[in-house]
Amino acid sequence: MSYIKDDLYNTTLPILIIEEEKRYKEYPQIGFGDEASIHKYNEQIAFKTFDFMRDKEKLPRKFEKIELLGQLSDVAACFPIGLVGYEDKKKEGYYYNLVKPLKNYKDFDYLQFLKDTRQLLGYIIQADEAIQRFHKMGIILGDIKGDNIMIDYNGNVRFVDTDNWMYNDYGFDVYPGRADWLSDNFNKKFSLIDNDRFVFAMMAIQYFIKGDIIRLHHSDVYFKKLIEFMDVSQEVKDGLRLIFSDANEKPYIGPILKKINPEQKIISKEAIYKINRIF
């Protein structure tokens, strides 16, 4: 059964028609993934076309989800704005607000080089508050990783790749391995919301733990010992322990990190060295 593309005008969203042959010449590629190629259209918007999607039969449902996501709005999310097509006026992808990145720290992958702890905490807390809002909307992110959390030139956190998020009864289009990190760590089933909290917390705490890679450890004893060595209040330790354990209904890490002293290292190099000797 061959896939027949849907009419571009079959939508409640705005549409954008571009000339296909100009896609790489006039609209530079600024990213790509398992499903799609991402291009800069102008200084305000970027567009994403599903060139690499293997199972084209899934595209109608993909566009149904994009239609719903296009009705949502949040200052920290690059939700779809409208659909994109070529001259034949068929659905090829969608467009969204282009993020103009912050110099030197364009996304969360680059925060490992940021030495200002107060500023680092600000970005983490901003992202955590956004994740809390997304969860209240009924969204599951799943693929929480550094290059999907951008920082714009005004210092605002912006989440991209939103079309792969789980929303209502629409699941992940490309199943993210990170969606199983919590279950893999503790060999039991957890809610996907708890998994989002755990994965983001693992990313956040990694910025403070130089010399160790937290995600490589799948031992409850490791997390317990790591938190024990931290130079933070007992209240912070208790909160972190709930996240990094097999507990259900985990807290978000943002409110916990608000209680640490940004002028003080949360764990010493000596402590990390001891942990590495144990594990």
Side-chain angles (χ1 to χ4, degrees):
M1 178 178 172
S2 60
Y3 168 68
I4 300 173
K5 292 180 181 179
D6 192 17
D7 188 334
L8 182 61
Y9 290 96
N10 181 22
T11 179
T12 60
L13 300 176
I15 62 169
L16 176 66
I17 297 173
I18 62 173
E19 293 181 51
E20 185 174 6
E21 67 173 23
K22 292 182 177 180
R23 194 157 50 109
Y24 284 89
K25 295 175 185 176
E26 293 191 14
Y27 312 117
Q29 187 182 51
I30 56 174
F32 63 90
D34 293 332
E35 291 184 310
S37 181
I38 304 166
H39 299 258
K40 178 181 177 181
Y41 180 74
N42 57 27
E43 293 304 315
Q44 284 75 46
I45 64 174
F47 65 88
K48 186 173 187 177
T49 52
F50 299 113
D51 302 346
F52 314 131
M53 200 164 181
R54 295 184 184 90
D55 189 356
K56 300 291 186 183
E57 302 295 329
K58 292 182 178 179
L59 273 175
R61 188 161 173 82
K62 174 86 169 177
F63 278 111
E64 286 177 15
K65 181 169 68 168
I66 289 170
E67 200 79 18
L68 293 178
L69 292 172
Q71 309 299 328
L72 302 179
S73 177
D74 188 278
V75 292
C78 292
F79 287 123
I81 297 172
L83 301 188
V84 171
Y86 303 137
E87 298 92 326
D88 63 355
K89 299 178 177 62
K90 300 296 182 182
K91 292 178 181 178
E92 301 291 345
Y94 70 94
Y95 66 94
Y96 60 95
N97 286 322
L98 176 71
V99 179
K100 299 173 185 176
L102 182 69
K103 186 179 179 182
N104 298 327
Y105 305 104
K106 70 172 187 174
D107 59 43
F108 269 47
D109 277 346
Y110 288 79
L111 291 186
Q112 61 182 308
F113 307 113
L114 180 59
K115 295 180 180 178
D116 185 331
T117 304
R118 193 178 297 277
Q119 195 174 4
L120 174 63
L121 281 170
Y123 292 135
I124 292 170
I125 290 164
Q126 193 183 148
D128 185 80
E129 289 172 347
I131 291 171
Q132 292 182 49
R133 294 195 303 272
F134 301 151
H135 284 165
K136 287 178 181 176
M137 290 178 179
I139 288 168
I140 300 294
L141 285 72
D143 200 18
I144 298 175
K145 58 182 183 177
D147 60 352
N148 279 347
I149 311 175
M150 297 190 69
I151 305 168
D152 72 17
Y153 69 104
N154 286 321
N156 299 311
V157 170
R158 304 291 301 279
F159 285 74
V160 297
D161 202 25
T162 61
D163 61 282
N164 197 49
W165 290 354
M166 183 181 286
Y167 182 58
N168 287 352
D169 62 341
Y170 293 89
F172 304 120
D173 303 295
V174 176
Y175 192 83
R178 287 173 176 79
D180 294 324
W181 273 13
L182 182 54
S183 295
D184 289 347
N185 265 274
F186 297 103
N187 296 311
K188 62 177 268 192
K189 287 286 185 181
F190 292 90
S191 72
L192 287 170
I193 286 182
D194 267 343
N195 185 79
D196 274 359
R197 292 167 177 153
F198 175 79
V199 173
F200 182 71
M202 190 173 284
M203 176 195 294
I205 211 71
Q206 180 67 71
Y207 298 123
F208 303 94
I209 314 296
K210 309 293 185 183
D212 198 6
I213 303 176
I214 299 174
R215 69 176 184 275
L216 299 181
H217 295 276
H218 294 260
S219 163
D220 184 60
V221 178
Y222 166 81
F223 290 115
K224 188 175 181 180
K225 187 62 69 175
L226 177 69
I227 294 166
E228 181 184 310
F229 277 126
M230 287 184 181
D231 190 10
V232 293
S233 69
Q234 190 59 49
E235 183 183 9
V236 170
K237 287 185 178 183
D238 291 343
L240 291 175
R241 184 59 185 144
L242 284 173
I243 297 174
F244 297 110
S245 72
D246 66 351
N248 293 305
E249 300 294 325
K250 297 182 181 299
Y252 292 93
I253 196 169
I256 296 169
L257 292 183
K258 283 181 179 179
K259 297 171 183 174
I260 71 171
N261 180 359
E263 307 300 327
Q264 181 178 323
K265 281 191 174 182
I266 70 170
I267 190 167
S268 67
K269 289 182 179 179
E270 292 74 22
I272 294 170
Y273 176 72
K274 288 179 182 177
I275 292 169
N276 284 333
R277 289 192 66 184
I278 297 170
F279 300 94

